[in-house]
Amino acid sequence: IRSGNTVSVTAKNCALGYYSFGHELGHNIGLHHNREVARNTAYPDGHGHLIARGSASTGYRTILAYNANGHRTRVNYYSNPNVRFPTTGTPTGIAGISNNARILTANR
């Protein structure tokens, strides 16, 4: 992001409803997918998160997390261990592993 040479392309029909715009911009800032599918060598805690189902019937996934068994629905949250997803009552991240919100704040 410091170079100023970051570009994102997102189809208009999926830019907002599926949060693809925020997903792609996140990559430009140094955010990665969940640790089950990716490793962020620049920011060890810069990963998406598979949100545990808690009190819900299924889990969810943050903006940068890939679809996984029991975590199909993407929600408009960047991973953050200090934020709980209201539907499940469970954290949207794990300290030291999935805290894309910290990376966003550090690189803004």
Side-chain angles (χ1 to χ4, degrees):
I1 194 164
R2 288 180 181 93
S3 72
N5 296 323
T6 55
V7 176
S8 291
V9 177
T10 304
K12 183 178 179 181
N13 66 343
C14 70
L16 298 176
Y18 201 54
Y19 315 116
S20 295
F21 185 69
H23 177 106
E24 298 307 329
L25 282 179
H27 285 306
N28 290 346
I29 297 170
L31 313 184
H32 275 40
H33 301 129
N34 48 303
R35 291 244 345 224
E36 291 80 2
V37 298
R39 290 291 184 263
N40 189 336
T41 57
Y43 304 102
D45 61 342
H47 298 94
H49 183 68
L50 299 176
I51 302 169
R53 73 181 194 168
S55 60
S57 61
T58 187
Y60 293 82
R61 59 191 175 110
T62 60
I63 289 177
L64 269 289
Y66 269 174
N67 188 354
N69 188 24
H71 303 273
R72 180 177 174 160
T73 302
R74 183 187 282 173
V75 294
N76 193 19
Y77 284 75
Y78 288 98
S79 58
N80 184 338
N82 299 314
V83 172
R84 292 187 175 272
F85 185 56
T87 304
T88 63
T90 58
T92 61
I94 298 172
I97 296 173
S98 49
N99 192 354
N100 275 333
R102 186 192 74 75
I103 310 305
L104 283 169
T105 301
N107 291 326
R108 60 183 166 157

